């Protein structure tokens, strides 16, 4: 796996962990924290908990699958990302809006607000 993919995966797991971490078992939370947040290797985690590297790998893999399952069903992270994009777009539209020169930026801002409202439904 390339370093870009590893970074992408780590970022994704951390985002999902922020939303769904409390729904995981204590062991899953601990192993994900050690691996993704504390940057410990499988061997270091295995040594710390006196289990095999394979067991650590399986716990982490299952925890990742559980996080993805929660996201598939609830979509909290996707909604968060979409809201963030729309808010950034709204800020950009309002930054260039001049009430004396037309209302294209105003229309874009209103469209962003409408889309934000729809995310909440």
């Amino acid at each position: 796996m390339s370093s870009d993919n590893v970074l992408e995966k780590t970022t994704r797991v951390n985002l999902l962990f922020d939303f769904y971490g409390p729904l995981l078992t204590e062991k899953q939370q601990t192993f994900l924290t050690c691996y993704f947040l504390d940057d410990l290797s499988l061997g270091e985690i295995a040594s710390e908990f006196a289990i095999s590297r394979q067991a650590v790998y399986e716990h982490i893999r299952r925890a990742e699958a559980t996080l993805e399952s929660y996201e598939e069903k609830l979509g909290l992270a996707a909604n968060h990302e979409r809201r963030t994009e729309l808010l950034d777009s709204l800020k950009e539209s309002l930054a260039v809006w001049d009430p004396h020169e037309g209302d294209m930026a105003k229309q874009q801002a209103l469209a962003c607000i409408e889309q934000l409202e729809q995310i909440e439904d």
Side-chain angles (χ1 to χ4, degrees):
M1 190 179 285
S2 75
S3 63
D4 285 345
N5 289 343
V6 170
L7 182 59
E8 229 175 82
K9 179 180 178 179
T10 299
T11 301
R12 171 95 175 144
V13 170
N14 285 330
L15 177 66
L16 295 179
F17 189 73
D18 286 344
F19 283 98
Y20 307 112
L23 301 175
L24 298 174
T25 66
E26 189 174 323
K27 188 180 283 188
Q28 288 173 325
Q29 290 178 31
T30 299
F31 287 160
L32 285 180
T33 298
C34 289
Y35 190 70
F36 287 104
L37 298 176
D38 298 339
D39 201 28
L40 297 178
S41 70
L42 296 176
E44 290 169 323
I45 299 168
S47 175
E48 176 80 20
F49 293 94
I51 60 174
S52 70
R53 286 181 75 250
Q54 184 64 32
V56 172
Y57 173 78
E58 288 300 321
H59 282 295
I60 291 171
R61 189 183 59 76
R62 275 189 241 123
E64 289 178 55
T66 301
L67 290 173
E68 290 292 348
S69 174
Y70 290 147
E71 175 59 14
E72 186 179 307
K73 292 173 184 158
L74 301 172
L76 298 178
N79 285 345
H80 169 75
E81 289 175 340
R82 183 68 181 133
R83 271 192 302 276
T84 300
E85 291 169 4
L86 288 168
L87 286 170
D88 289 344
S89 179
L90 181 59
K91 289 175 187 174
E92 288 174 19
S93 295
L94 292 175
V96 298
W97 181 43
D98 180 356
H100 302 295
E101 290 197 17
D103 60 356
M104 180 58 109
K106 180 180 177 182
Q107 290 173 352
Q108 289 174 337
L110 290 172
C112 286
I113 290 169
E114 287 176 21
Q115 290 176 13
L116 283 166
E117 289 172 343
Q118 289 174 359
I119 289 175
E120 298 304 319
D121 293 339

